[in-house]
């Protein structure tokens, strides 16, 4: 393996995390690069990066890790009492009632049980950049499965739907609320809409690299473009391929509009800080979320096989159930991964938060190094004798 220089710092006791990160980037090759950051009880304990052109402040596409940022907006609205998630979406957005969707609730959308995962004919890249256009297409779409019977990931459409609800309730967009209530107050390097003057910090996502054998295996097992999974990944759009999913954030319009399902931009440091602000507070400030809210949003709603993502996709209220993906985490752990390999989560039990980005897209929507890095980080937090919450 090529030896790659690792930059940044770790707190005393977290040296094994640096070693594991070095092994990961060596296996991946230094040309791609990655970032890793973590907090424990509001104190940053890991801040690492490696690879050509990558620094600690590099920004890249977050894909569905963006849903974690948007999920915190939804959590705040639930905490405020401003949103009744058991009301039908059509109560807030009447046009959504068309084509048999009148009984689908906000909760159904948050936990991927709505039956709406995409649209007939798919979306162009320009359409995927704009939630308003996605919403117009989704409004007339009939569910692909009976709502609340099973779950299937609404990869590109989730926040086009929820965004209409949020606008009706607050008069603001998800992006505006995230900026005003979460990003700006903490100076986070996570953006749902990257300002033009920060575009110079964005490094394009590189397409995945794989052996001929891996490519053949993926081709043999890739989703049917006209099946539920293919529609969710937009593979039913003419000329749209799985690698196109990975490089979507390289589209300037998508970055600028910051559609909340998959258009966010950020850094590992930004993701870890965002979750720390939410569950433990940072810089002496109170956490954004109360213990009651954390318990509400982290309860598992959808487990078992997802019609789109298979058996590795359990969901809480707007997030992935990280305790079922990483069993060493506490029961209330929540967060969201992105298809190119980014990940961010919070484990409120130990006050641990995690952020990871990689510049080269992970092969076939899977970045298994997150489980490795999170496990070593969790072990280090225990060995550092930081007490767990009661």
């Amino acid at each position: 393996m090529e030896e790659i220089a690792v930059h940044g710092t770790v707190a005393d006791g977290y040296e094994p995390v640096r070693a594991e990160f070095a092994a990961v980037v060596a296996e991946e090759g230094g040309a791609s690069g990655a970032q890793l950051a973590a907090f424990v009880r509001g104190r940053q304990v890991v801040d690492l990066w490696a690879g050509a052109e990558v620094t600690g402040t590099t920004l890249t596409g977050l894909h569905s890790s963006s849903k974690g940022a948007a999920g915190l907006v939804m959590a705040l609205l639930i905490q405020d009492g401003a949103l009744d998630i058991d009301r039908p979406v059509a109560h807030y957005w009447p046009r959504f009632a068309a084509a048999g969707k009148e009984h689908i609730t906000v909760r159904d959308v948050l936990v991927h049980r709505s039956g709406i995962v995409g649209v007939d004919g798919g979306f162009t890249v320009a359409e995927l950049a704009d939630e308003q256009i996605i919403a117009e297409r989704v409004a007339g779409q009939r569910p692909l499965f009976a709502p609340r019977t099973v779950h299937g990931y609404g990869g590109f459409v989730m926040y086009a739907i929820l965004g209409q609800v949020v606008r009706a309730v607050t008069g603001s967009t998800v992006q505006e609320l995230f900026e005003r209530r979460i990003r700006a107050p903490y100076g986070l390097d996570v953006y749902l809409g990257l300002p033009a003057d920060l575009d110079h910090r964005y490094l394009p996502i590189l397409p995945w690299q794989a052996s001929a054998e891996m490519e053949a295996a993926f081709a043999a097992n890739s989703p049917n473009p006209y099946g539920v999974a293919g529609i969710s990944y937009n593979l039913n759009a003419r000329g749209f391929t799985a690698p196109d999913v990975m490089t979507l954030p390289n589209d300037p319009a998508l970055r600028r509009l910051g559609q909340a399902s998959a258009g966010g931009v950020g850094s590992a440091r930004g993701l870890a800080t965002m979750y720390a602000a939410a569950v433990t507070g940072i810089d002496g400030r109170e956490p954004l979320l109360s213990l009651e809210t954390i318990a509400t949003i982290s309860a598992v709603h959808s487990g078992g096989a997802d019609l789109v993502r298979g058996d590795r996709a359990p969901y809480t209220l707007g997030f992935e159930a990280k305790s079922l993906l990483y069993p060493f985490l506490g029961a209330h752990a929540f967060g969201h991964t992105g298809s190119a390999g980014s990940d961010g989560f919070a484990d409120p039990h130990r006050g641990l938060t995690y952020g990871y980005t990689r510049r080269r897209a992970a092969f076939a929507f899977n970045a298994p190094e997150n489980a490795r890095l999170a496990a070593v980080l969790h072990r280090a937090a225990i060995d550092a004798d930081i007490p767990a919450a009661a």
Side-chain angles (χ1 to χ4, degrees), residues 3-60:
E3 185 172 347
I4 308 298
V6 171
H7 306 279
T9 59
V10 295
D12 290 346
Y14 289 85
E15 294 82 4
V17 180
R18 177 189 279 272
E20 191 68 22
F21 180 72
V24 164
V25 295
E27 291 166 12
E28 291 292 325
S32 52
Q35 301 168 321
L36 176 66
F39 283 69
V40 175
R41 305 214 177 281
R43 177 175 72 104
Q44 187 161 21
V45 296
V46 175
D47 187 24
L48 299 172
W49 61 91
E53 300 183 81
V54 177
T55 72
T57 60
T58 291
L59 303 174
T60 195

Side-chain angles (χ1 to χ4, degrees), residues 5-379:
V6 171
H7 306 279
T9 59
V10 295
D12 290 346
Y14 289 85
E15 294 82 4
V17 180
R18 177 189 279 272
E20 191 68 22
F21 180 72
V24 164
V25 295
E27 291 166 12
E28 291 292 325
S32 52
Q35 301 168 321
L36 176 66
F39 283 69
V40 175
R41 305 214 177 281
R43 177 175 72 104
Q44 187 161 21
V45 296
V46 175
D47 187 24
L48 299 172
W49 61 91
E53 300 183 81
V54 177
T55 72
T57 60
T58 291
L59 303 174
T60 195
L62 298 179
H63 292 84
S64 286
S65 292
S66 310
K67 292 183 175 74
L72 292 179
V73 172
M74 302 302 293
L76 288 174
L77 295 179
I78 293 168
Q79 181 169 275
D80 293 345
L83 179 64
D84 183 350
I85 63 173
D86 290 313
R87 281 190 180 272
V89 171
H91 171 80
Y92 300 104
W93 178 29
R95 287 186 59 207
F96 189 73
K101 302 193 298 299
E102 63 272 17
H103 300 302
I104 293 171
T105 66
V106 175
R107 186 187 298 270
D108 294 333
V109 179
L110 280 166
V111 300
H112 301 284
R113 289 182 170 269
S114 71
I116 302 298
V117 303
V119 296
D120 298 335
F123 300 101
T124 66
V125 172
E127 288 174 328
L128 285 175
D130 192 328
E131 284 175 351
Q132 286 299 111
I133 295 176
I134 296 174
E136 290 172 10
R137 298 280 310 279
V138 164
Q141 182 70 33
R142 183 168 294 279
L144 290 179
F145 55 83
R148 291 185 290 281
T149 57
V150 291
H151 66 288
Y153 186 55
F156 290 117
V157 302
M158 177 181 181
Y159 277 99
I161 298 169
L162 294 174
Q164 297 297 313
V165 173
V166 169
R167 190 190 294 265
V169 169
T170 68
S172 298
T173 66
V174 171
Q175 291 82 354
E176 288 166 346
L177 291 173
F178 178 73
E179 175 67 19
R180 186 161 69 242
R181 299 190 63 178
I182 302 174
R183 198 212 68 77
Y186 292 92
L188 300 177
D189 258 346
V190 177
Y191 301 88
L192 296 180
L194 184 67
D197 61 354
L198 296 182
D199 219 28
H200 67 282
R201 290 174 53 198
Y202 179 82
L203 278 185
I205 292 175
L206 302 173
W208 68 40
Q209 282 187 327
S211 66
E213 292 80 8
M214 292 174 68
E215 292 277 14
F218 179 72
N221 295 283
S222 60
N224 172 0
Y226 306 105
V228 174
I231 292 170
S232 178
Y233 287 120
N234 201 51
L235 302 182
N236 60 328
R238 179 176 295 181
F240 199 89
T241 67
D244 292 330
V245 175
M246 301 300 197
T247 56
L248 270 175
N250 295 343
D251 178 70
L254 188 138
R255 291 201 305 278
R256 197 76 63 241
L257 293 173
Q259 63 110 312
S261 293
V265 170
S267 66
R269 189 184 296 165
L271 286 170
T273 309
M274 179 183 77
Y275 282 106
V279 302
T280 65
I282 56 174
D283 300 329
R285 302 165 73 175
E286 291 295 311
L288 286 166
L289 304 181
S290 69
L291 292 177
E292 182 180 358
T293 301
I294 290 170
T296 297
I297 67 169
S298 64
V300 178
H301 281 63
S302 300
D306 180 306
L307 297 185
V308 174
R309 299 174 67 192
D311 62 359
R312 294 286 293 165
Y315 301 108
T316 71
L317 200 61
F319 301 89
E320 293 171 334
K322 289 297 187 180
S323 65
L324 298 182
L325 295 172
Y326 305 146
F328 46 85
L329 298 179
H332 294 290
F334 66 94
H336 218 291
T337 190
S339 61
S342 63
D343 199 3
F345 66 77
D347 181 357
H349 173 71
R350 194 159 291 281
L352 172 66
T353 70
Y354 173 97
Y356 178 75
T357 67
R358 48 180 289 158
R359 187 179 178 198
R360 183 174 296 284
F363 181 68
F365 308 103
N366 185 28
E369 70 266 25
N370 278 299
R372 290 170 52 188
L373 292 166
V376 173
L377 173 65
H378 185 261
R379 183 72 255 173

